[in-house]
Amino acid sequence: MDASSAFQDSLPTSSDALLAQMDEWGIAYTLHDHVPLRTVEDAKGVEDKIIAPGKRCLRLKNLYLRDRKKRNYLVSLEQDREIDLKALGGELGVGGLSFGSADRLLQNLGIRPGAVSPLAMINGVETDVRFFMDREAQEAELIYMHPLVNDRTVAMERAAFFAFLEKIRVTPEWV
């Protein structure tokens, strides 16, 4: 199965259910539908259609990682940031980081590869996933991320994104 909205009903929390919950909580976002985006390069191909001009925007790449002790991490970083897993592990204070499997991703964050997003912490909070967020989010006016599927992107103002995290009782650790 792919990570598009065509298969969202097979997820623990569908994209539609997530967006409905955000609406109920009064958390504002702008929804963009597009072709499935599997990589940062794919995302760059649609940016001109969805990025708000004149705003300080943060576009994310998201890593689902595990350490030697089988603890799970979601790390959301500015999309062009270079990643060295060993150095990142040192920055996070954990050792032996590697990418988690697709099965564990679905089990722990309720999403499929290609749709990894901070919004998946709505599920990750229940499975003790630690969430690390790029410090740039503290300065961004708009943050762009997938709402659990990879053929949709939401743009959220920083305050709305932090309100979402507060509602699900997640405090990001900054990296």
Side-chain angles (χ1 to χ4, degrees):
M1 257 182 250
D2 70 24
S4 73
S5 57
F7 299 98
Q8 69 172 309
D9 290 334
S10 65
L11 299 174
T13 304
S14 71
S15 180
D16 290 343
L18 169 71
L19 296 173
Q21 182 65 73
M22 289 170 46
D23 290 341
E24 184 178 312
W25 286 337
I27 295 174
Y29 59 88
T30 302
L31 178 65
H32 302 278
D33 292 301
H34 47 69
V35 299
L37 307 174
R38 292 175 180 82
T39 65
V40 168
E41 291 309 312
D42 290 347
K44 287 181 177 185
V46 301
E47 281 182 0
D48 61 328
K49 296 175 185 81
I50 66 173
I51 298 297
K55 296 275 188 180
R56 186 166 181 183
C57 299
L58 177 62
R59 295 166 312 277
L60 298 173
K61 70 175 155 191
N62 303 280
L63 311 171
Y64 169 62
L65 304 168
R66 290 178 48 98
D67 67 12
R68 279 189 211 107
K69 296 180 181 182
K70 302 191 184 334
R71 293 176 295 200
N72 297 286
Y73 305 88
L74 173 59
V75 182
S76 296
L77 302 169
E78 193 281 325
Q79 72 179 5
D80 291 323
R81 187 166 167 184
E82 292 292 321
I83 303 299
D84 171 318
L85 286 184
K86 187 174 182 178
L88 181 62
E91 196 172 343
L92 305 182
V94 299
L97 284 179
S98 62
F99 290 97
S101 70
D103 289 341
R104 286 190 179 104
L105 177 64
L106 185 60
Q107 177 184 351
N108 290 297
L109 287 171
I111 51 176
R112 293 194 176 80
V116 182
S117 163
L119 298 176
M121 285 305 296
I122 197 165
N123 298 311
V125 71
E126 301 299 326
T127 58
D128 295 322
V129 174
R130 281 179 69 188
F131 177 53
F132 289 88
M133 184 76 187
D134 197 307
R135 283 183 181 88
E136 287 194 30
Q138 297 170 329
E139 304 299 323
E141 293 176 84
L142 288 173
I143 304 171
Y144 289 81
M145 64 201 89
H146 291 309
L148 311 182
V149 294
N150 69 350
D151 59 348
R152 295 175 174 172
T153 295
V154 293
M156 299 175 71
E157 291 185 3
R158 177 181 60 239
F161 175 62
F162 290 143
F164 170 81
L165 292 177
E166 187 175 305
K167 283 286 189 186
I168 63 170
R169 295 181 304 283
V170 168
T171 301
E173 298 178 63
W174 301 103
V175 60

